[in-house]
Amino acid sequence: MKFQFFLLLALLFGVVGLNGSANAQTKSNGGATNPLSASESALLNEINDARAHPQVYASYLEKLKPMFSGKEYRRTGHPALVTEEGWPAVEDAIKFLQSVKPLPPLSFSQGLYLAAQSHVKDQSSRGGLGHKGSDNTFIEERVKPFGSWQGGIGENITYGDDSARERILTWLIDDGVPSRGHRRRLLSTDYNVAGISCGSHPEFSAMCVLDLAGGFIDSGSANSNTAVKSTTATKANTTTTTSPSTKVNGGSKPATTPPAKTKVATSNTRKM
């Protein structure tokens, strides 16, 4: 049985951000208190580091080549992991990272954070997987109680108890996902704001939900009247081609094909 690649990296650990700070970001653009936990802040910092320094993250991936034999990833002292694509997926990520220009950081969005948190709470209690909530809603419906988005909106999900660096490198490689949708969302100029929520999961121990948008205006229920505006033009009545969950405001239902199971050492992990 083949598994999507979820990294366990001996070479890459212990650094929260390239800027040398392990502290949580505490303010949004509007000055509101950022409620992110240490693990959520680490993930947002890691994303912003990858956006600011894509070539550095390409160099991290280059160090993995000796650990591949065909589609197997082998690390000393750990069982071999069978990937979908093997080294070519990593090589594809390296070329992409070497070609893209640095991007500005994603700003914290209270409304997107609350939308992500609602999905984590839902799946933490019922043990579900994927972008569809137990009430049959997707990100574009789930976010409505907390405000309105501008430009595009998208979502990445990862399951498993892993470090921020491991989660980001897994999304960047995007093994087994032809569209490389996770990677492209992280490094897209279409997104300027984000909310992240992490929590427990009954099957995979932990999960994190990343919701992104071009811009976001919080509603009263998000305890903020601050508008975090997009720097890109708003598009209406169209859908992006990126899956599994990316939309432009007013578009149609996003693709939700579930990914193959992944494996990390002795525990199962998924990404979506």
Side-chain angles (χ1 to χ4, degrees):
M1 181 177 181
K2 294 180 180 180
F3 298 97
Q4 286 183 335
F5 183 40
F6 201 100
L7 296 170
L8 284 178
L9 303 178
L11 299 174
L12 311 173
F13 62 95
V15 180
V16 173
L18 292 173
N19 58 12
S21 173
N23 295 325
Q25 298 176 1
T26 57
K27 298 288 182 180
S28 70
N29 279 1
T33 300
N34 181 331
L36 297 182
S37 67
S39 61
E40 292 162 348
S41 291
L43 188 54
L44 181 57
N45 288 341
E46 197 75 42
I47 292 169
N48 284 334
D49 284 344
R51 287 170 64 90
H53 308 280
Q55 286 76 24
V56 173
Y57 280 72
S59 71
Y60 293 162
L61 296 178
E62 287 175 335
K63 296 176 182 178
L64 300 179
K65 190 168 185 179
M67 302 180 187
F68 276 88
S69 177
K71 294 185 178 182
E72 286 190 348
Y73 171 73
R74 294 181 175 274
R75 184 161 68 100
T76 303
H78 296 270
L81 304 180
V82 182
T83 69
E84 288 286 334
E85 302 174 63
W87 176 250
V90 186
E91 191 171 38
D92 180 68
I94 292 169
K95 290 179 180 178
F96 183 88
L97 290 167
Q98 290 174 336
S99 68
V100 297
K101 296 180 180 179
L103 296 172
L106 298 171
S107 299
F108 170 76
S109 164
Q110 177 79 3
L112 290 174
Y113 162 74
L114 292 173
Q117 185 183 66
S118 69
H119 197 47
V120 170
K121 288 181 176 179
D122 182 25
Q123 295 195 344
S124 292
S125 62
R126 70 184 179 89
L129 294 170
H131 300 282
K132 188 175 182 180
S134 60
D135 58 356
N136 295 320
T137 61
F138 293 93
I139 175 59
E140 67 273 16
E141 292 94 11
R142 208 162 43 241
V143 78
K144 288 180 179 178
F146 309 113
S148 58
W149 80 83
Q150 300 171 326
I153 190 165
E155 182 173 81
N156 281 5
I157 306 177
T158 176
Y159 299 89
D161 190 11
D162 298 278
S163 71
R165 177 69 55 81
E166 289 166 350
R167 295 182 192 280
I168 297 308
L169 292 178
T170 300
W171 279 335
L172 290 174
I173 293 172
D174 228 357
D175 178 61
V177 180
S179 70
R180 308 297 192 212
H182 303 92
R183 177 201 304 166
R184 293 184 182 279
R185 271 189 289 282
L186 291 181
L187 300 175
S188 173
T189 57
D190 292 337
Y191 302 120
N192 303 296
V193 295
I196 295 173
S197 181
C198 299
S200 63
H201 191 275
E203 183 179 356
F204 294 99
S205 178
M207 65 177 292
C208 290
V209 175
L210 167 67
D211 289 339
L212 312 97
F216 200 85
I217 302 174
D218 291 334
S219 68
S221 62
N223 298 315
S224 173
N225 295 319
T226 302
V228 182
K229 294 184 178 180
S230 169
T231 58
T232 58
T234 300
K235 301 176 183 179
N237 299 316
T238 59
T239 303
T240 67
T241 57
T242 306
S243 65
S245 185
T246 302
K247 285 198 63 176
V248 172
N249 203 354
S252 60
K253 187 176 178 181
T256 56
T257 304
K261 218 170 197 180
T262 61
K263 192 167 185 176
V264 182
T266 59
S267 64
N268 288 329
T269 307
R270 289 176 183 258
K271 66 174 181 179
M272 290 189 164

